[in-house]
Amino acid sequence: MTELESNDAVTHRSSKAWKSAKVGFDAHGRLPVYYRMDGDVTHKGYISKLVIDPDEHSAEAEELITHITDDDIYGEYNDVLDTTTFVVTDGERLDEPFPQTELQKLSGDGAIDEGYSRQPAYVIQRPGDFPDFP
């Protein structure tokens, strides 16, 4: 996660189509995102670009590729641009990491389970974590 702290923008990919995230992104122009490691939420940032099924020969693809960090190994095992490709900006380490079980699901009742590992998980942002996002 240090790449979030040391780069202005970082490209990430997923083999799944994040259709709901795309709807939210299109509505708001960006989306807050939390990162977890070993069950603890340690970092946050904003998805500032989100493309489903990017055309690898487009100018948009060039922009996405530009933000792939040198230590990124995703492309060694998957397509360089996968089904969902997104850029995160304003990444930073949280002052006080917290268990992912403190995050409440956006729809339905309850918290994210301790063993939840699929992505994305749609959650209610904690007060103060994203002060300039509605």
Side-chain angles (χ1 to χ4, degrees):
M1 292 298 135
T2 57
E3 72 269 8
L4 286 172
E5 299 170 55
S6 58
N7 292 285
D8 292 336
V10 177
T11 295
H12 297 292
R13 283 86 81 210
S14 174
S15 61
K16 306 248 188 287
W18 290 10
K19 293 177 183 177
S20 296
K22 180 68 170 146
V23 169
F25 177 82
D26 288 347
H28 297 287
R30 64 183 179 151
L31 286 177
V33 61
Y34 287 111
Y35 287 85
R36 70 165 174 79
M37 291 185 65
D38 301 325
D40 282 340
V41 178
T42 59
H43 290 75
K44 67 176 184 167
Y46 288 96
I47 296 174
S48 59
K49 185 165 202 61
L50 190 149
V51 182
I52 295 178
D53 296 323
D55 175 359
E56 65 183 70
H57 303 292
S58 68
E60 182 177 59
E62 289 180 34
E63 179 186 352
L64 295 167
I65 291 169
T66 298
H67 300 296
I68 296 174
T69 61
D70 291 339
D71 57 348
D72 183 296
I73 59 170
Y74 190 92
E76 293 177 21
Y77 303 97
N78 305 283
D79 292 334
V80 172
L81 300 178
D82 213 332
T83 303
T84 299
T85 302
F86 59 102
V87 176
V88 175
T89 57
D90 301 311
E92 62 181 88
R93 183 172 200 48
L94 293 170
D95 291 334
E96 295 183 30
F98 61 92
Q100 73 182 18
T101 55
E102 289 184 18
L103 293 172
Q104 297 295 309
K105 296 175 187 174
L106 187 59
S107 61
D109 293 326
I112 297 295
D113 296 329
E114 184 176 342
Y116 186 91
S117 62
R118 295 185 316 270
Q119 56 176 329
Y122 300 104
V123 299
I124 298 170
Q125 64 192 21
R126 295 181 331 151
D129 282 348
F130 300 95
D132 58 342
F133 192 81

